[in-house]
Amino acid sequence: MKFDLTPLLRPHLVNLQPYTSARDEYTGKEGIFLDANENPYGSVTDEDFNRYPDPYQLELKAEIAKIKQVKTSQIFLGNGSDEAIDLLFRAFCNPGKDNVILLPPTYGMYEVSAGINDVETRKIPLTADFQLQPDLILEAVDQHTKIIFICSPNNPSGNKVHREDILRLIREFNGLVVVDEAYIDFSDEPSFTTHLSDYKNLLVMQTFSKAWGLASLRLGMAFASKELIKILNRIKPPYNISGLTQQTVLAAIKNVDKVNAMIADILQEREYLRTELAQLDYIEKIHDTHANFLLIKMPNASHVYDDLIEEKIIVRNRSKVQLCEECLRVTVGTRPENEAFIQALKKIYAESFNL
Ligand SMILES: Cc1ncc(COP(=O)(O)O)c(C=O)c1O
């Protein structure tokens, strides 16, 4: 499908000259490097970190391209997916003028990033079973609507969003559609990356923070047409991904077997939690999940949340969030952690509510 990104881009960026680093001009690895004001003696640490890293992370992208079956030119890497979200606002949304569409309850950073960038948010709530309302979404669009953010599997509900609804929005909306797949590795749903060559207004986000167990490194991926990726690369800070992160993930990515084994364990534990919770009469609902967490409806959820903290068990209280009333979001832990959570829940209901 033909789609011209230029009219969407903020006008002052059309001719912006990006920062060019010394390492853009000479990409060889051999030589005497007197170009970047680095320390020639090495680092104060055992391992050396004195040289600036590859600004475009090409070696790492080549490996990611293989496992995700996309082209290197279709990949942007950010300091967490959160960096990609922020750059999208900065690239496409004129502060005080443009708007984006959010579909609550959903991941909170879309709204925070919109706020930081002074961009209006138009909220079209999901249905009671956490699906999209495409007609209402398209009605809310005007000429200043730049992005629709869709999260699937959705956080905090955990369900996958109907594929046909997402495809309809991609086809009918004349702006960008972001599909955030942070939790896709826990789902049987194929990624939307398979549609990248069909739709130039699609951007898919994934992350190394969840299934790969690398949250602390901060590495998020965005997949889109090479034109869209070029725009993000032009406005990103030059060395946004540290050398340590690039090296560590390059090594990690060869361990696909290990990540698959961890995913299998998490899915098994998710089932264990669901089965245990289903036996407790006072649990009102365990929402269907395709992620590594469960959204659980229970009486007095806020009170239970506080009591769990007393037991040093920390979950996410979503009970004040629209459509998640009286719900806690619980990440799947290891077997001992999950057992401790279930035991604590039983104790709290027995002691505080005589249940
Ligand atoms: C839906 C969703 N997207 C993105 C992120 C953030 O990912 P990252 O750690 O890559 O910034 C999260 C983190 O909780 C999330 O739930």
Side-chain angles (χ1 to χ4, degrees):
M1 213 171 72
K2 262 210 121 18
F3 189 87
D4 186 5
L5 277 172
T6 317
L8 277 191
L9 192 63
R10 289 172 67 191
H12 70 287
L13 296 177
V14 174
N15 294 317
L16 177 97
Q17 282 307 317
Y19 177 78
T20 53
S21 69
R23 299 295 144 83
D24 287 329
E25 289 159 18
Y26 178 78
T27 51
K29 285 192 173 164
E30 299 296 315
I32 297 172
F33 288 98
L34 304 176
D35 57 342
N37 305 340
E38 297 152 334
N39 184 334
Y41 293 106
S43 312
V44 289
T45 41
D46 292 341
E47 205 183 326
D48 281 339
F49 298 107
N50 54 325
R51 300 294 177 189
Y52 282 99
D54 174 3
Y56 297 108
Q57 314 97 23
L58 292 177
E59 220 182 324
L60 179 54
K61 282 182 184 168
E63 291 304 314
I64 294 176
K66 280 187 216 155
I67 61 165
K68 300 291 177 186
Q69 282 155 22
V70 296
K71 297 195 186 99
T72 304
S73 59
Q74 293 175 312
I75 307 174
F76 170 82
L77 296 180
N79 186 13
S81 310
D82 292 340
E83 183 176 32
I85 296 170
D86 180 61
L87 289 177
L88 285 169
F89 279 103
R90 293 210 268 154
F92 296 104
C93 301
N94 292 293
K97 187 169 155 205
D98 289 331
N99 65 72
V100 297
I101 294 194
L102 305 185
L103 313 167
T106 194
Y107 180 48
M109 265 319 277
Y110 315 137
E111 178 153 27
V112 173
S113 240
I116 292 169
N117 288 289
D118 188 20
V119 172
E120 181 201 342
T121 57
R122 299 191 171 178
K123 293 184 192 154
I124 308 298
L126 297 174
T127 60
D129 56 354
F130 303 113
Q131 291 299 332
L132 307 182
Q133 307 198 65
D135 288 333
L136 294 186
I137 293 170
L138 290 167
E139 271 168 35
V141 168
D142 67 11
Q143 84 262 35
H144 296 298
T145 308
K146 294 297 186 73
I147 312 175
I148 302 175
F149 284 93
I150 302 168
C151 187
S152 182
N154 187 43
N155 176 7
S157 51
N159 63 300
K160 59 181 177 183
V161 173
H162 295 324
R163 204 170 185 89
E164 273 314 309
D165 288 344
I166 301 179
L167 284 171
R168 178 174 166 206
L169 292 178
I170 298 171
R171 288 188 196 115
E172 294 186 26
F173 173 50
N174 211 11
L176 297 183
V177 175
V178 172
V179 182
D180 186 344
E181 297 183 336
Y183 300 97
I184 191 82
D185 297 315
F186 306 105
S187 169
D188 52 11
E189 183 75 359
S191 168
F192 266 79
T193 51
T194 53
H195 296 290
L196 284 182
S197 47
D198 303 329
Y199 304 110
K200 301 277 182 243
N201 61 334
L202 167 66
L203 181 137
V204 179
M205 290 197 306
Q206 295 185 9
T207 179
F208 281 93
S209 297
K210 310 294 173 183
W212 287 86
L214 297 170
S216 171
L217 290 182
R218 313 301 304 124
L219 191 65
M221 296 165 270
F223 306 105
S225 66
K226 68 173 189 301
E227 293 81 7
L228 182 40
I229 296 301
K230 255 190 203 158
I231 291 171
L232 297 179
N233 277 334
R234 277 175 54 205
I235 65 167
K236 80 179 181 69
Y239 302 107
N240 61 327
I241 308 298
S242 81
L244 186 59
T245 299
Q246 293 188 45
Q247 286 162 29
T248 312
V249 179
L250 200 52
I253 217 167
K254 298 188 175 129
N255 270 327
V256 179
D257 287 349
K258 185 156 182 205
V259 78
N260 287 338
M262 286 200 291
I263 293 168
D265 286 347
I266 290 169
L267 296 187
Q268 200 179 334
E269 285 307 309
R270 186 173 80 185
E271 216 30 57
Y272 167 78
L273 267 181
R274 175 188 291 289
T275 313
E276 290 294 312
L277 288 163
Q279 289 167 26
L280 306 177
D281 291 343
Y282 37 83
I283 297 297
E284 289 169 27
K285 182 151 187 147
I286 310 160
H287 286 277
D288 191 26
T289 184
H290 283 256
N292 64 337
F293 54 81
L294 292 166
L295 187 70
I296 310 161
K297 185 169 187 191
M298 61 189 82
N300 301 302
S302 286
H303 188 136
V304 175
Y305 169 79
D306 291 337
D307 285 0
L308 282 168
I309 288 189
E310 294 289 309
E311 303 284 329
K312 298 228 170 342
I313 295 176
I314 300 93
V315 299
R316 198 90 156 103
N317 186 0
R318 301 282 81 185
S319 59
K320 301 283 178 293
V321 173
Q322 201 187 352
L323 296 173
C324 303
E325 291 81 7
E326 296 295 317
C327 284
L328 301 183
R329 193 197 70 193
V330 181
T331 306
V332 177
T334 62
R335 179 59 60 93
E337 289 172 339
N338 297 331
E339 281 172 353
F341 165 67
I342 298 285
Q343 284 317 314
L345 207 56
K346 287 181 180 165
K347 181 172 156 217
I348 291 163
Y349 274 104
E351 287 178 2
S352 301
F353 308 113
N354 271 335
L355 289 171

